[in-house]
Amino acid sequence: MDLLWFAIFAVLLAGYFALEGFDLGVGLLLPVLGRTRADRDRLVAAIAPYVLANEVWLVAVAGTMAGVYPLLEGEVLVGLYPLVVAMLMSWVLRDAGLWFRRRLGGPLWRGFWDGAVAFGSLGLSAGWGMALYAAATGFQAPPSCIRWACCSASW
């Protein structure tokens, strides 16, 4: 039974990373590839329908981890709490950018939300990189640059 749940967890996680990688890549390349308004609209139209579907994969991963591996969930959330909060903020910023950029027609409005999409994608990509690094090293103390970036909440 453990092997079955591990396989389900691995498939859900691989599905999320495969599909979300496309969204994050397009979001990161939005300032580079989206030279004109029409280009940016096409890029966002390519990912917008799939963003919510990719979030369902992540919810399924979190639900599986909470139900099947509760000790792992506790260790991950406690050990990476500042990083998880930063990733959630990046996630909300990116989604807000995707939904609000078409609400008004001004170039300043769209430019702000296009920047939010790119910055949120950057935050999510960096956050996943740090989370995978932490998982690969057994959640040991991170190097000083990562510790300073995500864990310096003592101010």
Side-chain angles (χ1 to χ4, degrees):
M1 192 59 131
D2 290 340
L3 187 60
L4 175 69
W5 277 111
F6 179 75
I8 291 171
F9 183 74
V11 166
L12 290 172
L13 195 60
Y16 169 75
F17 278 127
L19 296 174
E20 186 69 14
F22 171 70
D23 292 347
L24 292 176
V26 170
L28 285 170
L29 292 174
L30 189 63
V32 177
L33 297 178
R35 299 279 183 205
T36 65
R37 178 179 169 180
D39 289 342
R40 287 189 299 274
D41 286 345
R42 272 195 299 270
L43 288 169
V44 170
I47 64 171
Y50 305 106
V51 169
L52 291 177
N54 294 341
E55 291 170 1
V56 171
W57 284 88
L58 186 61
V59 169
V61 167
T64 303
M65 187 166 52
V68 179
Y69 304 112
L71 296 177
L72 176 65
E73 179 200 19
E75 185 174 333
V76 168
L77 290 181
V78 169
L80 301 177
Y81 184 75
L83 181 60
V84 169
V85 170
M87 289 174 65
L88 285 173
M89 289 172 38
S90 295
W91 185 11
V92 168
L93 181 66
R94 185 197 59 176
D95 283 6
L98 288 172
W99 297 113
F100 289 146
R101 69 181 297 275
R102 301 214 46 168
R103 296 295 180 223
L104 296 176
L108 188 61
W109 177 267
R110 281 180 177 247
F112 174 78
W113 290 113
D114 286 343
V117 171
F119 189 71
S121 296
L122 177 64
L124 275 171
S125 299
W128 278 117
M130 286 188 254
L132 290 174
Y133 171 82
T137 59
F139 299 100
Q140 301 298 321
S144 60
C145 62
I146 294 175
R147 187 180 321 118
W148 180 83
C150 72
C151 303
S152 63
S154 61
W155 42 274

